[in-house]
Amino acid sequence: MANVLFVKANNRDQSISLKLYDAFASAYRAKNPNDHITELDLFEAESPYYSGEMFAGIIKQSKSEELTAEEQNAVDIANRFTDQFLATDKVVFAFPFGILRFRLNCSPTCPI
């Protein structure tokens, strides 16, 4: 039995990448019924940007220094995500991908 973390970083219900994620998740569950699957939806989770306050708190905590209430809250959030990743054996990401958003560096013979 493996611990699997499915990370959903897409909130567009009609996106192709989300449809692929759903299809993959269904197929994975069917083929691996004994695996423990956790889904992390980043649009629903409390996931603030890593701020100076969060970094300061992480550094202070590593030095066993006292944290402010705000730093402690930020560090708790960061640690919750870190612990979730460390507890898994496999991670699956689903995020929007638009080929037109990326500049491809291809040679003239590149088929795409």
Side-chain angles (χ1 to χ4, degrees):
M1 179 172 87
N3 288 320
V4 185
L5 178 62
F6 282 60
V7 181
K8 188 188 301 185
N10 189 341
N11 66 346
R12 298 180 301 152
D13 291 334
Q14 298 304 313
S15 74
I16 292 172
S17 59
L18 195 55
K19 289 177 184 178
L20 289 170
Y21 168 85
D22 290 338
F24 178 83
S26 290
Y28 186 90
R29 284 182 176 99
K31 291 189 182 231
N32 301 280
N34 294 325
D35 283 3
H36 178 262
I37 297 173
T38 302
E39 185 172 89
L40 171 60
D41 186 334
L42 294 179
F43 282 89
E44 293 182 10
E46 180 185 12
S47 58
Y49 289 107
Y50 272 70
S51 63
E53 189 172 79
M54 188 177 286
F55 281 119
I58 291 169
I59 291 168
K60 285 169 77 173
Q61 185 180 51
S62 72
K63 295 178 180 180
S64 298
E65 296 177 6
E66 191 172 331
L67 281 69
T68 67
E70 294 81 14
E71 289 170 339
Q72 185 63 59
N73 182 53
V75 168
D76 290 344
I77 292 168
N79 287 342
R80 194 167 48 244
F81 284 107
T82 301
D83 293 344
Q84 196 169 27
F85 274 87
L86 292 175
T88 63
D89 302 307
K90 303 174 188 177
V91 180
V92 177
F93 290 95
F95 58 92
F97 179 75
I99 192 68
L100 300 177
R101 295 182 197 162
F102 296 93
R103 182 170 173 250
L104 299 176
N105 294 320
C106 291
S107 68
T109 59
C110 183
I112 55 172

